[in-house]
């Protein structure tokens, strides 16, 4: 007998990704990797965290159980930040989560019954699909700006035996595409969700990492402006300190209407009682003292790396390859000529040129997008980026001759 015979049906949708496994194999020191999606650890504000942690540890509270909603001074700071972003709110509208990944899981749990529809980008953040999969939804394609009619979405959801429950979007410098939703697209998603009667899950993990271009209001801010009060809003904003201060401390937040917060609090209570107290206290102190100058510093480093990658792509990629020009974040998304496969390219790139990236099909709910790849620019210096893209250019040219 194998225990796997008696796993719940939901676990059948939770599979190890082939790509993740392959990428673990390529985590060798001689490989230039554009695969991860992680900040450069050399930029972590170590001294600020040493100080903040030592200070927090003078209070026994730092090691004690605390409230599920989160550390009150951190919630207060976040309510102020959300107000600056155009979302006037109070601590009742803020829940601290263990990274924004936990927020996605809790929101999947809150909204999705088996066969309900989640609208997602095509492609979208792989980790969101992973979080939602456990709740056995059906996915439908969201194309901000050119969406199908609400009736069409509703009819297909009903035919599949459920309802449209959420529209999930990585809004700023999207993981994986690097693309940012325009103001019009944000308004259109809002109008569509109003017609569908569904929640909007606004994933703002990269929001603070804008290098250039015009800052845009969150969808939640547009909705508050339209409806007058966060309490009347269907948008649930998920933020994170992972891309700015530290991913390892696992601190994120949800900002939403207070009844939603109260319900998610019950789920979080059942899951992990609360996020680590010491981590929240340290994040609060570092954020209050250093957030803006620290973020300005990492943005200048990442912007130079993005520029280096874009220049290297211009120089080394053959005609027929296209890529996005992100205004921030950590990713560039490239589309290879039709017929070329990102996964095949990865194998050759690793074996022959010691360079890695993520094949784009991993980010599509239906596994399409074979000829796309995601390139991360935050975790390698400019010279390494130039070298890595030159190597990648060679492999692409070589494959082009063969296809
Ligand atoms: C779009 C997006 N959302 C959410 C997350 C989860 O981040 P965390 O749980 O560290 O906040 C990530 C991490 O890569 C991401 O790219």
């Amino acid at each position: 007998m194998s225990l796997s015979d008696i796993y719940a049906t939901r676990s059948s949708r939770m599979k190890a990704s082939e790509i993740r496994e392959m990428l673990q194999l390529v985590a060798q020191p001689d490989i230039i990797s554009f695969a991860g999606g992680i900040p450069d650890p050399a930029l972590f504000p170590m001294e600020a965290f040493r100080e903040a942690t030592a200070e927090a540890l003078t209070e026994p509270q730092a090691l004690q159980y605390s409230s599920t909603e989160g550390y009150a001074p951190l919630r207060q700071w976040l309510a102020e930040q959300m107000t600056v972003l155009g979302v006037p709110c109070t601590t009742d509208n803020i829940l601290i989560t263990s990274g924004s990944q936990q927020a996605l899981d809790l929101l999947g749990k809150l909204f999705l019954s088996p066969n309900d529809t989640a609208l997602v980008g095509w492609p979208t953040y792989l980790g969101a699909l992973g979080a939602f999969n456990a709740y056995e939804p059906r996915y439908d394609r969201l194309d901000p700006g050119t969406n199908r009619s609400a009736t069409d979405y509703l009819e297909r959801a009903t035919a599949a035996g459920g309802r449209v429950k959420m529209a999930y979007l990585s809004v700023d410098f999207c993981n994986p595409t690097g693309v940012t939703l325009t103001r019009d697209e944000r308004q259109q998603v809002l109008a569509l969700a109003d017609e569908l009667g569904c929640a909007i899950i606004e994933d703002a993990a990269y929001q603070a990492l804008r290098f250039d271009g015009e800052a845009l209001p969150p969808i939640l801010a547009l909705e508050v402006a339209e409806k007058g009060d966060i309490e009347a809003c269907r948008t649930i904003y998920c933020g994170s300190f992972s891309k700015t201060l530290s991913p390892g401390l696992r601190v994120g937040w949800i900002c939403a209407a207070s009844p939603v917060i109260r319900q998610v609090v019950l789920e979080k209570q059942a899951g992990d009682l609360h996020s680590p107290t010491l981590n929240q206290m340290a994040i609060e102190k570092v954020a209050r003292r250093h957030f803006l100058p620290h973020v300005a510093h990492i943005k200048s480093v990442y912007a130079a790396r993005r520029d280096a990658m874009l220049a290297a792509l211009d120089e080394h990629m053959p005609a027929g390859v296209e890529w996005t020009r992100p205004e921030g974040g950590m990713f560039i998304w490239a589309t290879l000529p039709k017929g070329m496969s990102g996964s095949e390219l990865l194998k050759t790139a690793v074996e022959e040129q010691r360079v890695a990236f993520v094949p784009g099909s991993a980010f599509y709910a239906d596994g399409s997008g074979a000829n796309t790849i995601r390139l991360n620019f935050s975790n390698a210096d400019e010279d390494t980026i130039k070298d890595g893209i030159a190597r990648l250019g060679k492999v692409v040219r070589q494959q082009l001759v063969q296809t």
Side-chain angles (χ1 to χ4, degrees):
M1 198 232 25
S2 160
L3 286 181
S4 61
D5 294 341
I6 57 168
Y7 290 167
T9 49
R10 73 182 76 89
S11 67
S12 69
R13 297 268 299 263
M14 302 168 75
K15 293 204 183 93
S17 123
E18 262 175 53
I19 285 165
R20 233 169 242 264
E21 285 179 7
M22 181 149 92
L23 290 172
Q24 272 171 5
L25 292 180
V26 305
Q28 294 157 16
D30 67 323
I31 290 192
I32 297 180
S33 180
F34 302 130
I38 60 176
D40 184 342
L43 297 172
F44 290 154
M46 298 301 291
E47 189 47 41
F49 272 114
R50 258 193 292 272
E51 229 173 67
T53 313
E55 220 175 294
L57 281 171
T58 59
E59 304 171 53
Q61 178 201 359
L63 301 183
Q64 188 55 287
Y65 282 121
S66 58
S67 74
T68 306
E69 287 82 352
Y71 180 54
L74 180 58
R75 293 168 71 215
Q76 182 58 44
W77 187 79
L78 285 167
E80 288 158 18
Q81 298 304 305
M82 292 306 301
T83 304
V84 171
L85 289 178
V87 182
C89 65
T90 71
T91 51
D92 290 344
N93 304 108
I94 306 282
L95 163 66
I96 305 297
T97 55
S98 297
S100 53
Q101 189 65 31
Q102 183 184 43
L104 300 179
D105 175 53
L106 294 173
L107 294 168
K109 187 181 280 185
L110 182 62
F111 288 109
L112 299 170
S113 298
N115 301 323
D116 275 342
T117 292
L119 306 183
V120 297
W122 232 252
T124 192
Y125 169 50
L126 175 61
L129 297 176
F132 301 151
N133 277 345
Y135 305 105
E136 304 173 80
R138 154 189 181 266
Y139 295 107
D140 200 348
R141 178 177 179 141
L142 196 58
D143 289 296
T146 56
N147 282 307
R148 310 194 313 264
S149 72
T151 316
D152 190 56
Y153 280 115
L154 289 171
E155 280 173 4
R156 293 195 206 188
T158 309
R163 297 173 56 185
V164 181
K165 292 290 185 68
M166 61 161 72
Y168 163 82
L169 302 114
S170 169
V171 274
D172 310 284
F173 330 115
C174 169
N175 178 3
T177 61
V179 170
T180 298
L181 253 63
T182 64
R183 181 186 282 264
D184 272 2
E185 287 166 348
R186 290 169 198 238
Q187 292 283 9
Q188 285 176 35
V189 169
L190 194 50
L192 178 69
D194 275 341
E195 273 188 86
L196 293 171
C198 72
I200 295 175
I201 314 291
E202 177 171 30
D203 183 337
Y206 298 90
Q207 192 274 337
L209 292 186
R210 174 174 284 283
F211 315 148
D212 38 47
E214 185 207 354
L216 289 166
I219 298 178
L220 179 54
L222 295 172
E223 191 175 12
V224 171
E226 189 183 306
K227 298 180 183 165
D229 189 340
I230 189 171
E231 298 302 338
C233 289
R234 62 176 68 255
T235 303
I236 301 170
Y237 181 102
C238 302
S240 176
F241 287 103
S242 291
K243 315 299 173 183
T244 50
L245 296 184
S246 157
L249 292 177
R250 311 303 303 130
V251 181
W253 70 96
I254 295 178
C255 179
S258 53
V260 173
I261 295 290
R262 285 197 296 274
Q263 192 62 36
V264 182
V265 163
L266 297 178
E267 291 182 357
K268 182 170 163 67
Q269 211 158 43
D272 67 352
L273 299 182
H274 63 80
S275 297
T277 317
L278 177 59
N279 297 9
Q280 296 185 60
M281 291 174 80
I283 286 271
E284 189 266 339
K285 291 183 201 304
V286 174
R288 250 181 224 285
R289 295 171 189 163
H290 306 285
F291 193 77
L292 286 181
H294 175 71
V295 170
H297 172 58
I298 62 174
K299 284 199 302 187
S300 69
V301 175
Y302 291 160
R305 292 177 181 180
R306 173 209 53 188
D307 292 344
M309 189 172 272
L310 287 173
L313 287 164
D314 283 337
E315 190 179 338
H316 297 289
M317 283 298 154
V321 181
E322 289 171 2
W323 54 90
T324 57
R325 306 189 86 85
E327 293 181 329
M330 297 186 173
F331 306 107
I332 291 173
W333 179 251
T335 306
L336 307 165
K338 272 220 159 49
M340 199 180 277
S341 148
S343 337
E344 289 301 315
L345 188 73
L346 176 63
K347 279 189 203 128
T348 323
V350 168
E351 278 165 23
E352 294 180 13
Q353 292 290 336
R354 313 303 280 161
V355 60
F357 52 82
V358 183
S361 57
F363 301 94
Y364 286 81
D366 64 353
S368 59
N371 65 327
T372 56
I373 63 174
R374 189 193 74 177
L375 298 166
N376 166 261
F377 56 76
S378 60
N379 200 21
D381 62 37
E382 289 158 53
D383 286 340
T384 311
I385 288 174
K386 283 179 204 160
D387 183 14
I389 296 296
R391 295 185 199 192
L392 187 57
K394 277 191 203 145
V395 193
V396 175
R397 279 175 199 281
Q398 196 181 309
Q399 297 249 320
L400 212 49
V401 175
Q402 286 165 7
T403 46

